[in-house]
Amino acid sequence: MSNYKTVFFTLGILQIILGISMIIPVFVQILFSELDSSFIGASIVTIIFGSLFFLSNLDHDKKLNLQQAFLLTALSWLSIAVFGSIPFLLSSMNLSITDSFFESMSGITTTGSTIISNLETAPRSILFWRAILQWLGGIGIIVMAITLMPVMNVGGMQLFRISNNDSSEKILPKSKEIALRLIYIYSILTILCAIFYKLFGMSYFDSLTHSMTTIATGGFSNYNASIGYFNNAYIEIVSMTFIILGSLPFIAYIKFLNGDRQIFKSDSQIITFLKIIFFSIIILSLYLSFTEIDKFNLRSIFFNVISIISGTGYVNDQFDNWGSFTIVLFLSLMFIGGCAGSTTCGVKVFRFQILYLFIVNQLKKMIYPKGIFVIKYAQNSINEKFIASIISFIFFYFLIFFGLSALLSLSGLDFITSISGAATSISNVGPGLGSTIGPNGNFASLPDISKWILTVGMILGRLELFAILVLFVPAFWRN
């Protein structure tokens, strides 16, 4: 067990931070006359466990190898989801263990699916805690995607390694430096988002909670109708703007601050992501204008396309009533997702770009059998090993999607709920499709077994599949 002292030391720090974060909703309870022991009790329990992990592993070697990096990644999200569920469990809402864990996992993975059927009557402290979980999950995935995953070689993420000289032994020192800068950028964007929300009509409470779930592309809202509750075009414009900012690779912000003023114009992943949004809006607009003219609303089209592809899950309209083509398009956008190194999930744009380059390269080889063609992406040569990691990731992504769909169907859900539920969980989007889990629905009525299946999909999707799957390979545990 001594080999994992750094892992448990880090877990202890994370749990202490989570426990301290639980103190913040206590002030919300006082402000809105909701004071009870739920958050105080949860905070004490979490800090005690975190302190035990921290103090019992003070003699760790301050290094993190590859095996430990995988274990830390998986245990971090799992432990935060477990301890993050305690306030829900102890609250006045009388939530079951299943529902509490589902809500917590949905928050920390920035999925945004909810089992709370009436958000308007929910305690404000619980609404605030949901926003905190998504905000922490957002910055957590950014730090992990930029510092840990490139070294872990998960699904082609090694392409985004900060330095070619990085080794697993250097993860922690470099991570601290980068993490501080990322937290600074992330916090500034959150504050700006909150300010603009307040300027355009939200209350202080709504602007703060929605800014946290917007920049995290999480999608938790304080109202059943989501952003549509406000019916305010300016609020929706602010939301779309900061959703896109949260969907861009945060390493680009660091490069911009370091002097690369052209990064947002030159990064092919960013350009492709924005093109996908643009063409999706055009295609959906043309479809609705010819087939569902009574439902054509350019404002709703813009908002929901951006919300779905980013995995945010905010809604301002019942888009599942826009025809069958819209359902297919939105399912496709769920799978695509945003940029690597952002708060979004899905397969990620860069993987589709490289897959496209690989297919074109294969076609060239068929035409010119003796030709030598080198695949290049972002000025990097892509070798066969790298291509294999991309293809295997995409293969397993859809394999797990179909597996989740089958399990959800076996648990008693109908076809559209099973398919969209699997897609929204593994892509961390939030709302599904259909009358039950659709844009203005929730997951409260689903059987408990379905909720546990969905939580598995959430953590698999959030941690890029292999960070979890590798733990079940016996060879991983051998020295």
Side-chain angles (χ1 to χ4, degrees):
M1 212 60 172
S2 60
N3 293 336
Y4 302 109
K5 281 185 173 290
T6 304
V7 172
F8 291 111
F9 176 82
T10 309
L11 285 177
I13 293 175
L14 291 175
Q15 287 173 17
I16 291 171
I17 293 172
L18 185 69
I20 293 172
S21 299
M22 290 176 184
I23 300 296
I24 302 173
V26 174
F27 296 103
V28 177
Q29 287 183 320
I30 295 171
L31 186 63
F32 291 98
S33 302
E34 300 173 352
L35 188 61
D36 58 27
S37 61
S38 57
F39 282 97
I40 295 174
S43 176
I44 292 172
V45 171
T46 305
I47 290 175
I48 287 174
F49 271 91
S51 298
L52 289 174
F53 278 124
F54 177 81
L55 295 173
S56 61
N57 294 283
L58 285 173
D59 58 339
H60 69 105
D61 58 8
K62 298 183 181 180
K63 293 180 181 179
L64 201 64
N65 62 33
L66 193 59
Q67 185 190 53
Q68 293 166 349
F70 276 105
L71 189 61
L72 174 62
T73 300
L75 290 181
S76 296
W77 255 257
L78 188 59
S79 64
I80 292 174
V82 169
F83 285 96
S85 68
I86 298 177
F88 295 110
L89 194 61
L90 299 180
S91 73
S92 60
M93 299 181 70
N94 298 316
L95 298 178
S96 65
I97 292 176
T98 297
D99 286 346
S100 299
F101 184 74
F102 181 94
E103 197 75 9
S104 180
M105 181 64 80
S106 179
I108 199 64
T109 57
T110 71
T111 302
S113 304
T114 185
I115 47 80
I116 302 175
S117 54
N118 194 347
L119 291 166
E120 281 85 348
T121 60
R124 294 294 185 95
S125 55
I126 287 294
L127 297 177
F128 197 73
W129 179 238
R130 294 161 83 238
I132 289 175
L133 280 175
Q134 289 205 327
W135 194 84
L136 291 174
I139 185 59
I141 197 63
I142 293 169
V143 172
M144 187 185 74
I146 293 176
T147 60
L148 285 180
M149 282 192 172
V151 182
M152 292 156 63
N153 297 334
V154 175
M157 289 297 291
Q158 58 267 38
L159 184 68
F160 302 97
R161 190 172 293 184
I162 301 299
S163 168
N164 291 329
N165 297 320
D166 285 352
S167 68
S168 57
E169 301 298 326
K170 297 179 180 178
I171 292 176
L172 286 183
K174 187 171 284 292
S175 295
K176 291 177 184 177
E177 177 187 342
I178 296 170
L180 287 174
R181 300 188 72 181
L182 291 172
I183 292 170
Y184 169 76
I185 296 166
Y186 189 76
S187 300
I188 292 296
L189 290 175
T190 305
I191 293 169
L192 288 173
C193 184
I195 291 171
F196 281 108
Y197 273 148
K198 182 66 183 73
L199 287 175
F200 291 118
M202 281 191 183
S203 66
Y204 283 107
F205 181 78
D206 285 340
S207 61
L208 183 56
T209 53
H210 283 86
S211 66
M212 288 192 284
T213 61
T214 297
I215 203 64
T217 62
F220 270 157
S221 178
N222 299 335
Y223 305 96
N224 292 337
S226 189
I227 290 293
Y229 167 86
F230 300 99
N231 192 25
N232 185 318
Y234 294 108
I235 286 176
E236 290 170 16
I237 290 171
V238 172
S239 183
M240 288 187 285
T241 301
F242 283 93
I243 286 172
I244 290 175
L245 291 176
S247 302
L248 303 182
F250 271 67
I251 194 66
Y253 293 111
I254 292 178
K255 290 180 178 178
F256 182 83
L257 293 175
N258 286 344
D260 187 356
R261 302 301 188 215
Q262 300 299 315
I263 184 63
F264 294 105
K265 295 179 181 179
S266 60
D267 191 304
S268 65
Q269 186 180 199
I270 295 174
I271 295 169
T272 302
F273 174 65
L274 296 177
K275 283 181 179 178
I276 292 171
I277 291 175
F278 175 77
F279 285 112
S280 296
I281 291 170
I282 295 296
I283 291 168
L284 188 54
S285 298
L286 290 173
Y287 169 74
L288 292 178
S289 63
F290 284 109
T291 61
E292 305 279 349
I293 189 63
D294 57 317
K295 296 172 183 174
F296 178 82
N297 185 321
L298 195 58
R299 174 175 145 193
S300 294
I301 292 170
F302 262 88
F303 186 84
N304 288 287
V305 164
I306 291 171
S307 179
I308 293 297
I309 192 173
S310 65
T312 306
Y314 283 151
V315 296
N316 69 348
D317 205 343
Q318 290 278 58
F319 57 72
D320 55 346
N321 294 327
W322 291 358
S324 57
F325 173 76
T326 304
I327 293 176
V328 173
L329 177 63
F330 278 10
L331 279 173
S332 301
L333 294 178
M334 285 182 189
F335 290 128
I336 294 171
C339 300
S342 70
T343 59
T344 62
C345 197
V347 176
K348 300 290 193 310
V349 171
F350 88 95
R351 291 193 179 98
F352 283 108
Q353 287 179 291
I354 293 174
L355 183 62
Y356 168 76
L357 293 173
F358 172 72
I359 292 171
V360 170
N361 194 57
Q362 292 302 108
L363 292 174
K364 288 180 179 178
K365 287 181 178 180
M366 291 174 65
I367 299 171
Y368 306 103
K370 295 182 181 180
I372 298 174
F373 304 98
V374 178
I375 299 176
K376 284 200 170 186
Y377 180 83
Q379 299 179 342
N380 293 304
S381 296
I382 307 300
N383 58 35
E384 291 185 2
K385 184 179 178 181
F386 187 91
I387 291 291
S389 69
I390 296 288
I391 294 174
S392 60
F393 178 90
I394 295 174
F395 170 78
F396 272 102
Y397 196 94
F398 286 101
L399 182 66
I400 292 171
F401 160 69
F402 287 119
L404 291 171
S405 300
L407 290 173
L408 289 171
S409 180
L410 288 171
S411 70
L413 304 186
D414 61 78
F415 176 77
I416 192 65
T417 304
S418 299
I419 291 291
S420 64
T424 197
S425 66
I426 197 171
S427 298
N428 302 122
V429 175
L433 299 168
S435 57
T436 306
I437 60 172
N440 289 102
N442 59 73
F443 292 71
S445 62
L446 300 189
D448 281 359
I449 184 64
S450 300
K451 294 172 185 174
W452 285 106
I453 293 168
L454 289 168
T455 58
V456 171
M458 290 176 197
I459 194 168
L460 281 171
R462 182 73 285 179
L463 300 185
E464 305 273 330
L465 307 184
F466 292 115
I468 296 293
L469 296 179
V470 72
L471 300 180
F472 296 93
V473 178
F476 172 81
W477 299 101
R478 296 177 191 145
N479 289 328

